[in-house]
């Protein structure tokens, strides 16, 4: 008999992927994979430093869980800054840009994976995010904005994939507001 018990919790979800990954792969698979691995090494180290845990990957996308909204915002911003620095030291064809969405919400635990609206909304924010940026839900903003030395831009209510989310962007040097 299967276990029908559904276990839920509140989690901070970090969703990221590479901007234009399909095109990069079409242009040069080997260079793209080498670059992706280099960026993943950066991300893996930052996740370890800030208490993040990867719970799902697919190609160029990563879903990670944090226990702290503050830690997730710091990790995401540091990652974008380190990728930007890396891009200054490699040829154009080896450069990568990521989008990151952060959300806190209710999730369902299934083994080591997480599902549900909390995850879906992080992915929606990531898809909405500008290249090289970090977009976050109002819930993340409310928890983190007064505890980090970062500036934010309020984007207001945004229609994103069948729902409305109140979104904010972390202001990162070199990105348009």
């Amino acid at each position: 008999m299967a276990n029908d018990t559904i276990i839920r919790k509140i989690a901070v979800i970090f969703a990221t992927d590479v901007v234009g990954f399909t095109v990069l792969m079409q242009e040069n698979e080997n260079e793209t994979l080498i670059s992706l691995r280099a960026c993943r090494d950066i991300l893996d180290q930052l996740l370890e430093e800030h208490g993040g845990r990867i719970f799902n990957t697919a190609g160029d996308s990563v879903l990670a869980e944090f226990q702290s909204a503050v830690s997730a915002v710091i990790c995401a911003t540091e990652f974008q800054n380190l990728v930007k620095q890396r891009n200054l030291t490699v040829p154009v064809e080896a450069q990568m840009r990521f989008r990151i969405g952060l959300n806190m919400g209710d999730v369902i635990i299934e083994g080591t994976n997480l599902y549900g609206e909390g995850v879906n909304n992080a992915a929606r924010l990531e898809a909405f995010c500008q290249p090289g940026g970090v977009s976050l839900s109002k819930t993340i903003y409310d928890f983190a904005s007064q505890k980090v030395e970062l500036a934010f831009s309020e984007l207001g209510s945004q229609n994103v994939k069948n729902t409305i989310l109140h979104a904010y962007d972390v202001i990162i040097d070199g990105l348009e507001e």
Side-chain angles (χ1 to χ4, degrees):
M1 182 169 156
N3 185 354
D4 292 337
T5 303
I6 294 178
I7 302 169
R8 296 179 173 273
K9 69 176 180 178
I10 300 294
V12 175
I13 305 298
F14 173 115
T16 188
D17 77 355
V18 177
V19 176
F21 186 73
T22 302
V23 172
L24 293 171
M25 286 295 283
Q26 288 172 344
E27 291 173 356
N28 188 333
E29 287 180 339
N30 292 343
E31 186 66 48
T32 300
L33 285 176
I34 290 167
S35 294
L36 180 61
R37 287 179 190 146
C39 292
R40 273 296 306 275
D41 287 346
I42 294 167
L43 181 58
D44 290 348
Q45 183 174 342
L46 286 171
L47 289 171
E48 186 176 328
E49 286 176 25
H50 294 286
R53 172 189 77 86
I54 293 175
F55 64 87
N56 199 327
T57 63
D60 63 314
S61 68
V62 173
L63 291 170
E65 169 191 23
F66 286 81
Q67 299 212 5
S68 163
V70 173
S71 295
V73 170
I74 292 169
C75 180
T77 305
E78 286 181 4
F79 177 65
Q80 292 293 35
N81 286 324
L82 288 171
V83 168
K84 188 166 59 170
Q85 288 174 9
R86 177 192 175 275
N87 285 344
L88 295 173
T89 67
V90 298
V92 173
E93 60 273 7
Q95 295 179 11
M96 295 205 142
R97 294 186 307 157
F98 290 78
R99 291 184 296 248
I100 299 173
L102 301 175
N103 182 53
M104 181 169 22
D106 193 62
V107 297
I108 296 170
I109 304 167
E110 180 80 16
T112 59
N113 207 349
L114 303 175
Y115 299 95
E117 189 175 353
V119 177
N120 295 344
N121 285 343
R124 288 174 174 129
L125 287 163
E126 175 271 317
F128 167 79
C129 184
Q130 63 181 319
V134 178
S135 292
L136 44 127
S137 66
K138 184 174 183 334
T139 310
I140 296 286
Y141 174 82
D142 289 344
F143 272 92
S145 63
Q146 300 301 312
K147 296 182 175 106
V148 296
E149 293 184 21
L150 297 168
F152 299 88
S153 173
E154 183 174 2
L155 304 175
S157 295
Q158 301 294 319
N159 274 318
V160 288
K161 203 168 186 180
N162 305 320
T163 194
I164 297 173
L165 296 173
H166 196 99
Y168 292 79
D169 275 349
V170 176
I171 296 174
I172 298 176
D173 288 341
L175 290 182
E176 295 179 17
E177 287 184 47

